[in-house]
Amino acid sequence: MTSRAVVPPTDKLDWTTIGFQYRDTNGFVKYTWTEETGWDEGKFLTDPMLNIHVCATGLHYGQQCFEGLKAFRDNDGRVRIFRPDVNAKRMQRSADMAHMPRVPVEIFEQAVRRTVEANLEFVPPKESGGSLYIRPVLFGSGPFIGMGAAPEFSFIVFGMPVGNYYSGGVVPVDALVIEDFDRTAPNGTGATKVGGNYASTFGPMLRAKKQGYPITLHLDSKTHTYIDEFSTSNFVALTHPDPVTKKRTFVTPNSSTILQSVTRLSLEDIAEKTLGWEVEERPVKFEELVQGRFAEVAAVGTAAILTPVRKIVRGDQVVCIGSGTQTEIGEGFARLYKEYRGIQSGDQDDTFGWMWPAEGL
Ligand SMILES: Cc1ncc(COP(=O)(O)O)c(C=O)c1O
């Protein structure tokens, strides 16, 4: 155990209504890279306004990428961050894609830790179900008008307290398949977290929302035959339980154009190693949904964790998962969700060693 006193949550915020939105905190960290010096020691800054060059490549050419992860409080008030090493490695793949210098895993972890340590009072109380959402961003901040890498890159990490996405319980939603827009091309940028993959989905997502679909599903861009992922989360499905063993198979697409979700990888481990279920990462045909092969479908990602999907609409076709009218999470995902959240909140033993640092902050 660390000997430092626990820093309790501030009493200036109403933890029951904080929702998911940007809020100022005490400050953030910023590291700078140049060809001559490499990555510097990083600085803690309190003014959220950045001063960057008018010709920064991050602004003009989308030379940037970002990450999203969370820190949680346990029963003793200690704070731990969920799997920052996995996000660090994913950010390196995004950096390669946008021709940027990699942030070493140790610098990424150090930056996240510094940000959390400086903002401990913004980590919500455990019982609220909230967390500190952490946003690392890497971008070309120096001037370059040609096609190429900037002379300077910035790596910033800030955080904001966010509430329990499911204060009223985990509620199944209806999803809409986006047919007139493809999120990413074959051999394109889909497996990385570059900003350009996101801005282009805002329009289709907002139009779907207006029609009553909180989430949108993308099929493979080339043939629209296979399932890729939801606009901001991975697609996962559970088969019907075996009548004798009650075990299920956890099925998820292995498409090369989707983001490797840390949530999904973690749920796979829980399914396989804790619950003893089979895990299949393979191409998943949309037709399999139509054939009723899956008992449960969900969208999974850091922000919302796990959103059960009860209906998927593709043009005139309506595909029900189960009855299509269920109002609660299914039995299979309920088990996975409980284990996963239990590890984050410290209610379950962290047998996978996911919470960092182990002694807490
Ligand atoms: C396109 C996309 N897929 C999946 C995910 C879920 O990934 P994670 O579980 O690492 O948050 C995200 C969110 O980061 C995303 O933006």
Side-chain angles (χ1 to χ4, degrees):
M1 260 301 183
T2 168
S3 53
R4 204 176 57 180
V6 164
V7 179
T10 172
D11 55 12
K12 296 198 179 71
L13 283 171
D14 175 0
W15 299 109
T16 58
T17 57
I18 52 171
F20 194 93
Q21 65 189 70
Y22 174 78
R23 275 168 211 278
D24 281 336
T25 57
N26 294 332
F28 65 101
V29 294
K30 176 171 180 285
Y31 291 68
T32 305
W33 179 97
T34 68
E35 183 78 49
E36 301 78 51
T37 59
W39 287 108
D40 71 3
E41 298 285 296
K43 284 192 193 93
F44 182 74
L45 301 170
T46 53
D47 180 356
M49 303 305 286
L50 285 176
N51 188 15
I52 65 165
H53 200 280
V54 67
C55 199
T57 59
L59 289 179
H60 296 254
Y61 303 129
Q63 192 171 36
Q64 68 82 250
C65 65
F66 67 104
E67 274 299 328
L69 64 165
K70 283 179 173 172
F72 300 86
R73 219 176 258 282
D74 70 8
N75 267 331
D76 301 326
R78 291 270 171 220
V79 173
R80 294 179 187 80
I81 303 148
F82 188 70
R83 307 192 75 179
D85 54 320
V86 187
N87 292 91
K89 288 176 201 143
R90 189 168 72 185
M91 185 174 246
Q92 292 190 339
R93 297 197 290 275
S94 301
D96 292 349
M97 175 61 78
H99 200 66
M100 299 189 283
R102 289 178 166 202
V103 176
V105 173
E106 310 75 59
I107 292 186
F108 184 99
E109 287 183 335
Q110 181 196 53
V112 168
R113 183 176 178 149
R114 281 171 80 177
T115 301
V116 174
E117 278 181 325
N119 291 294
L120 281 171
E121 71 265 41
F122 290 102
V123 184
K126 187 210 151 177
E127 59 281 8
S128 72
S131 55
L132 187 79
Y133 181 75
I134 303 158
R135 173 52 60 86
V137 189
L138 169 65
F139 62 100
S141 47
F144 196 74
I145 197 66
M147 293 290 145
E152 180 196 283
F153 287 85
S154 295
F155 171 55
I156 57 177
V157 180
F158 60 98
M160 69 204 78
V162 297
N164 180 358
Y165 213 83
Y166 293 114
S167 44
V170 181
V171 187
V173 301
D174 298 343
L176 182 70
V177 177
I178 302 291
E179 288 279 33
D180 57 356
F181 166 76
D182 291 317
R183 180 178 169 272
T184 60
N187 302 319
T189 56
T192 61
K193 212 162 164 64
V194 293
N197 287 347
Y198 292 82
S200 54
T201 59
F202 292 172
M205 280 170 76
L206 291 175
R207 282 195 290 281
K209 238 173 221 146
K210 277 198 187 137
Q211 295 171 52
Y213 301 100
I215 61 172
T216 42
L217 182 64
H218 299 276
L219 304 178
D220 79 283
S221 301
K222 196 168 176 185
T223 68
H224 281 209
T225 310
Y226 294 92
I227 294 169
D228 254 359
E229 65 174 330
F230 296 99
S231 299
T232 57
S233 44
N234 272 184
F235 174 99
V236 299
L238 300 180
T239 58
H240 299 272
D242 180 279
V244 180
T245 64
K246 304 284 180 231
K247 289 189 179 176
R248 298 164 184 268
T249 301
F250 181 109
V251 182
T252 191
N254 65 347
S255 163
S256 60
T257 51
I258 64 171
L259 196 72
Q260 292 281 316
S261 154
V262 181
T263 315
R264 190 254 297 167
L265 294 171
S266 310
L267 292 171
E268 278 182 22
D269 278 344
I270 294 171
E272 192 173 352
K273 297 176 187 136
T274 309
L275 303 180
W277 297 353
E278 293 287 317
V279 172
E280 287 179 4
E281 274 186 28
R282 60 169 176 79
V284 181
K285 283 197 164 148
F286 186 80
E287 194 54 26
E288 293 185 52
L289 288 171
V290 181
Q291 290 163 353
R293 191 164 140 56
F294 303 120
E296 298 177 40
V297 164
V300 300
T302 298
I305 307 175
L306 189 152
T307 307
V309 177
R310 62 183 180 183
K311 209 183 272 172
I312 299 181
V313 176
R314 182 181 186 186
D316 296 336
Q317 191 178 23
V318 179
V319 182
C320 291
I321 315 297
S323 70
T325 55
Q326 62 270 40
T327 52
E328 284 178 10
I329 186 171
E331 210 183 300
F333 279 132
R335 289 190 67 187
L336 287 169
Y337 182 77
K338 183 163 176 271
E339 294 286 335
Y340 177 82
R341 285 291 295 122
I343 292 172
Q344 291 181 332
S345 63
D347 288 340
Q348 307 268 13
D349 283 345
D350 179 17
T351 47
F352 296 103
W354 285 339
M355 304 309 290
W356 184 83
E359 68 278 14
L361 298 173

